Amino acid sequence: MNQTLQTLLNATRVTGLEASANGRVVATVQQLDADGTGWQSQIVELPKGSTQPRTLTRHEKGASSPVLDARGRLFYMASNPEGAKAGSCIWHLPQASASPLLLGSRPGGFRSLQVSKSTLFAQAGMHSQASTEAEHAEYSRSRSTMHVSGILHSAFPSRYWASDLGPATDVILVAELPENIEAAASEHEKNARLKKAAEAASKDAVSKDTAGEDSEADSKGNDTSENNDAAEGADSLLSWRVVRMPKGRLLSWKAAPDASFILAAIEVNVADLITGTQLWRIDVATGEKTMLTDVDTVPGHHLSLVDISPDSAKVVLNCARDWTPQQSLRSTSHIMDIATGERTELWPELDHWVAPIWVTNSELAATSDDAGSGSVWFGSATDAAPQRIAGGPGTGEVFTGLARVGAADRSVSGDEAPALISLRNGISVAPHPVRIGLPSDAGAAENTAEVTVEELANPADATDQPGRTENITATAEDGTEIRAWLRLPEGSGPHPLVVFAHGGPWGSWNAFTYRWNPAPFVAAGFAVLLPDPAISTGYGQAMIDRGQQQLGGTPYTDIMALTDATIQRADIDETKQAFAGGSYGGFMANWVAGHTGDRFKAIVTHASLWNTTSMGRSTDNASWDRAMREQGAEYSPHLFAEKITAPMLVIHGDKDYRVPIGQGLELWHALHVHASTPRAADGSLPHRYLYFPDEGHWIESRGNAEVWYRTFIGFLQEHVLGEGPEKPLSLG
């Protein structure tokens, strides 16, 4: 188990792909940092026709957020060792050089990048009372100098996922890129040296005139490092213009391919729903703002931004039906004409949730979960349904991070011919980059088209995946055929079993994950069942509707039916079962604890919902409270605390704002006060609480991730296998 765990946690992994119209492809990789205690990101190139990736960035603290313009010029974010207080800076790496050029630096740094034509767009936080970059620098410095941490909020939410929101407000900074960036940088550096020399000479002259006296500038602190950072931002290679967003919280944004406008999804507070979404068009030249959709444009639905067509005329929107006690969540895609506001549903006969991207001005591609695997879809904007061009049920393949490479024109050939790139993976196969060809006829009647799927240079390390994977099926109480993946150790068994409930609740056990990876458990001798019950995605809307209004009903009975089918196998030991889950899977673990007695010898619950009422009033997810008000009276796990007898390991991070730490604390209290778990002779209980003060919904640091796995597996070994408990030394 040790080797499998170390290989998994130390592996270099691919986290994203970017491509240009001229065929260039780069990837973001995550790898161990210099001292091996954390991870950092760098950017590598995947040369066409080569099996060897080429490392592009070597920043000490990592590099991220790469974007490529149509010519393949690379821009990205990384810190500046000479101005650490500036946060993330913007860099350009010339293709024929190993030396990056600093393009932008400012107090607070930048948050994300996009590039269209010869215009660079950067999302950044600006002091809420500043009207210029200079004022932002001054006001931010004052807040920092005074050591003020307070944030005054006027809208919901005040925090999101694992981050506190505010006090800065989001703006988009816009700069025109020089035709020859290297030449412009050289000229800028030359001018900066001349300016510095002139200032030094002037200062020297003043010093001679005022010998023995402190200069007024120095006494006022005008030569501090903070002021130098601010001056660097004002004297940067690029000239930045501030484009302000409409009132509300910026959820997402897209720069038009012609660089003339920005589309922004803005979250605003509204009655009953608490939050709603507006879509705005902001003119880059004038800053003029035009609302395209309001919170009630489609009553009972949220519209969100997905992608803008290459000709900047149309936009793909996700139309999500609100989850309420009267209706289930449902996701469809719409195409909207930006000029007229006319909307049409995309691929209305496709019964899968997708987020399409434009390939040409009339054709789109998308990925989806698909019956425990994944599919890549391709079709025209007017098709009733697209064609499946890769993956599909039973393949065990999943595709994520889909992007177009090449020109947005099917008549182009050679290196610039349009194609798709994606990260292909599976339950026991780590994500690796592939290039997917396009079908010759997007309008063909067949549901599936033959295309080429080509492996690209892979910068990811292989992971140790012992054992084998099999498919498990069962019939649910309502007659629905349901399924799961089963990861098995080598040998004939019988093996102890641990059941993993997935989160979401909208999700599927179909992709590789570095967090809840079955491999270390399989290496420790456990079979791992990965069930897809009601509310799982990839099985059509009917599968969602079966369980949406009864989170502890049909999803629970589906999981138990699949578990019952699994323990009938000769290679599974039905006397040694455990259950585990995170987030909604943690809700299910808590529900199982209160409904199965001592069937499961151990239950592990991570970032879990315990009391649906207090959860709805403290989470960053505004929709949860209203959606759960009615079914919470029947399906809240805390109502069944007295029936808990199995030993439980509770895991929670203090920075979890999706399922707040209060849920873990309430559960931990209930296990000591209300649960019926037998006590030892000394009065102690077998429950344990693994608390991470600096982690959020996910455990992200290298050391904490190892502690998570070791504590989890150790708890199973103690209570399922009867082995002595072993506490990791790093836990103190």
Side-chain angles (χ1 to χ4, degrees):
M1 188 270 285
N2 286 334
Q3 178 180 346
T4 299
L5 180 58
Q6 294 299 322
T7 301
L8 176 72
L9 295 180
N10 294 342
T12 295
R13 54 201 73 175
V14 188
T15 58
L17 299 173
E18 289 291 327
S20 69
N22 73 347
R24 190 182 191 192
V25 179
V26 300
T28 303
V29 298
Q30 193 178 60
Q31 58 196 24
L32 283 180
D33 59 17
D35 59 10
T37 60
W39 291 299
Q40 66 170 214
S41 293
Q42 298 290 357
I43 302 165
V44 302
E45 183 162 10
L46 311 183
K48 188 174 177 62
S50 172
T51 60
Q52 296 299 317
R54 182 168 70 92
T55 299
L56 297 177
T57 63
R58 293 178 171 83
H59 290 265
E60 181 181 354
K61 295 185 178 180
S64 63
S65 305
V67 294
L68 298 167
D69 69 4
R71 294 158 53 183
R73 296 188 297 182
L74 173 65
F75 308 91
Y76 62 93
M77 298 195 308
S79 63
N80 181 7
E82 297 179 3
K85 293 182 180 180
S88 294
C89 304
I90 298 177
W91 301 80
H92 164 60
L93 181 65
Q95 291 197 42
S97 172
S99 301
L101 303 174
L102 179 63
L103 299 186
S105 173
R106 64 188 296 277
F110 300 88
R111 297 179 177 177
S112 65
L113 294 179
Q114 294 182 33
V115 62
S116 294
K117 299 184 74 172
S118 61
T119 305
L120 190 62
F121 299 82
Q123 179 184 350
M126 178 171 277
H127 193 287
S128 62
Q129 298 181 63
S131 57
T132 65
E133 278 285 84
E135 287 183 350
H136 163 72
E138 178 186 350
Y139 300 165
S140 298
R141 182 168 60 251
S142 174
R143 176 180 170 86
S144 176
T145 302
M146 295 290 291
H147 299 286
V148 174
S149 62
I151 304 171
L152 181 63
H153 292 280
S154 60
F156 184 94
S158 60
R159 53 190 193 172
Y160 185 79
W161 195 247
S163 299
D164 294 309
L165 300 179
T169 184
D170 282 304
V171 298
I172 305 299
L173 302 177
V174 182
E176 298 303 316
L177 294 167
E179 177 66 21
N180 187 324
I181 299 176
E182 295 93 311
S186 178
E187 182 68 18
H188 178 78
E189 184 179 356
K190 176 184 175 181
N191 292 336
R193 287 199 302 268
L194 292 174
K195 180 180 179 181
K196 186 175 182 180
E199 290 174 347
S202 175
K203 185 176 181 179
D204 183 58
V206 171
S207 297
K208 291 179 179 179
D209 291 339
T210 58
E213 298 179 8
D214 292 330
S215 72
E216 182 180 357
D218 286 342
S219 69
K220 292 183 178 180
N222 288 334
D223 194 32
T224 65
S225 60
E226 289 85 359
N227 274 321
N228 286 335
D229 285 343
E232 181 183 7
D235 192 33
S236 68
L237 171 61
L238 302 182
S239 178
W240 296 97
R241 292 183 291 115
V242 178
V243 177
R244 296 192 175 277
M245 297 293 100
K247 184 178 180 180
R249 184 166 75 96
L250 179 62
L251 297 179
S252 61
W253 62 283
K254 288 280 185 181
D258 67 5
S260 66
F261 64 88
I262 297 166
L263 292 187
I266 304 293
E267 183 181 74
V268 295
N269 286 177
V270 293
D272 296 330
L273 294 175
I274 303 182
T275 61
T277 305
Q278 299 170 337
L279 182 65
W280 290 78
R281 180 191 186 278
I282 302 100
D283 188 272
V284 171
T286 66
E288 180 182 359
K289 303 175 182 65
T290 304
M291 185 190 296
L292 302 180
T293 67
D294 204 347
V295 294
D296 57 356
T297 296
V298 183
H301 293 70
H302 275 66
L303 294 175
S304 57
L305 175 62
V306 181
D307 196 24
I308 303 175
S309 61
D311 60 6
S312 302
K314 300 178 289 294
V315 60
V316 176
L317 303 175
N318 174 260
C319 184
R321 185 174 66 190
D322 297 328
W323 173 27
T324 71
Q326 291 74 43
Q327 63 185 23
S328 302
L329 182 69
R330 180 173 182 262
S331 176
T332 56
S333 298
H334 290 210
I335 294 178
M336 186 176 75
D337 185 290
I338 296 173
T340 67
E342 180 182 355
R343 286 182 298 105
T344 57
E345 185 174 349
L346 175 67
W347 303 335
E349 294 182 6
L350 179 66
D351 194 13
H352 287 292
W353 294 3
V354 295
I357 62 168
W358 293 94
V359 181
T360 69
N361 286 317
S362 61
E363 298 167 313
L364 302 97
T367 59
S368 77
D369 295 335
D370 201 347
S373 297
S375 287
V376 181
W377 305 93
F378 185 84
S380 78
T382 57
D383 287 341
Q387 297 172 286
R388 181 188 289 110
I389 62 173
T395 62
E397 296 179 337
V398 178
F399 298 84
T400 58
L402 191 69
R404 185 191 78 238
V405 59
D409 184 349
R410 294 266 250 156
S411 67
V412 175
S413 59
D415 289 345
E416 296 186 7
L420 301 170
I421 55 172
S422 182
L423 294 176
R424 179 166 62 181
N425 64 103
I427 288 294
S428 56
V429 179
H432 55 284
V434 295
R435 184 182 187 274
I436 305 169
L438 302 181
S440 57
D441 183 3
E446 292 80 7
N447 179 254
T448 303
E450 294 292 331
V451 300
T452 59
V453 180
E454 171 193 359
E455 299 275 349
L456 299 179
N458 183 16
D461 290 334
T463 61
D464 183 19
Q465 296 290 317
R468 64 190 190 278
T469 304
E470 296 188 13
N471 190 57
I472 299 293
T473 59
T475 302
E477 288 183 351
D478 61 2
T480 301
E481 292 298 312
I482 52 179
R483 57 158 305 284
W485 292 114
L486 178 63
R487 292 280 287 117
L488 287 157
E490 300 291 351
S492 58
H495 307 292
L497 176 71
V498 56
V499 181
F500 281 7
H502 70 61
W506 311 278
S508 173
W509 281 124
N510 58 1
F512 190 89
T513 172
Y514 288 91
R515 288 186 299 272
W516 284 75
N517 193 289
F521 299 86
V522 173
F526 289 89
V528 182
L529 183 68
L530 306 167
D532 273 359
I535 324 184
S536 294
T537 50
Y539 302 88
Q541 186 62 33
M543 190 69 155
I544 306 295
D545 296 339
R546 290 179 63 238
Q548 187 77 86
Q549 304 302 336
Q550 44 171 314
L551 294 188
T554 306
Y556 164 68
T557 58
D558 281 2
I559 290 176
M560 296 309 295
L562 286 162
T563 304
D564 289 342
T566 303
I567 63 175
Q568 298 304 312
R569 297 169 55 107
D571 55 1
I572 298 297
D573 187 344
E574 66 174 324
T575 68
K576 296 178 179 178
Q577 301 178 56
F579 197 99
S583 194
Y584 170 70
F587 166 99
M588 187 56 67
N590 296 338
W591 186 261
V592 165
H595 287 80
T596 58
D598 60 359
R599 170 174 176 168
F600 295 100
K601 306 306 178 186
I603 293 178
V604 179
T605 181
H606 169 98
S608 67
L609 289 70
W610 172 245
N611 182 329
T612 60
T613 299
S614 59
M615 160 70 183
R617 295 171 180 174
S618 57
T619 178
D620 62 355
N621 186 344
S623 67
W624 184 266
D625 180 50
R626 184 179 67 153
M628 282 296 298
R629 282 176 195 164
E630 294 184 16
Q631 62 169 299
E634 182 178 359
Y635 292 116
S636 184
H638 84 284
L639 300 173
F640 304 91
E642 293 83 358
K643 296 185 177 181
I644 294 176
T645 60
M648 295 188 69
L649 170 61
V650 180
I651 308 175
H652 223 111
D654 197 76
K655 300 301 182 183
D656 187 351
Y657 299 156
R658 180 53 47 90
V659 182
I661 186 64
Q663 294 295 295
L665 295 175
E666 283 190 50
L667 170 56
W668 188 235
H669 177 270
L671 290 176
H672 286 77
V673 176
H674 302 297
S676 300
T677 311
R679 293 180 179 269
D682 62 359
S684 62
L685 287 165
H687 309 302
R688 296 293 182 269
Y689 177 29
L690 180 57
Y691 167 67
F692 293 101
D694 55 353
E695 297 282 5
H697 201 58
W698 297 339
I699 307 304
E700 300 196 53
S701 75
R702 169 62 178 81
N704 284 341
E706 181 168 346
V707 164
W708 186 91
Y709 274 106
R710 291 192 181 280
T711 305
F712 191 155
I713 294 172
F715 194 75
L716 299 186
Q717 291 171 328
E718 177 183 0
H719 295 286
V720 179
L721 305 183
E723 299 178 0
E726 183 176 338
K727 179 181 175 181
L729 290 174
S730 56
L731 280 177

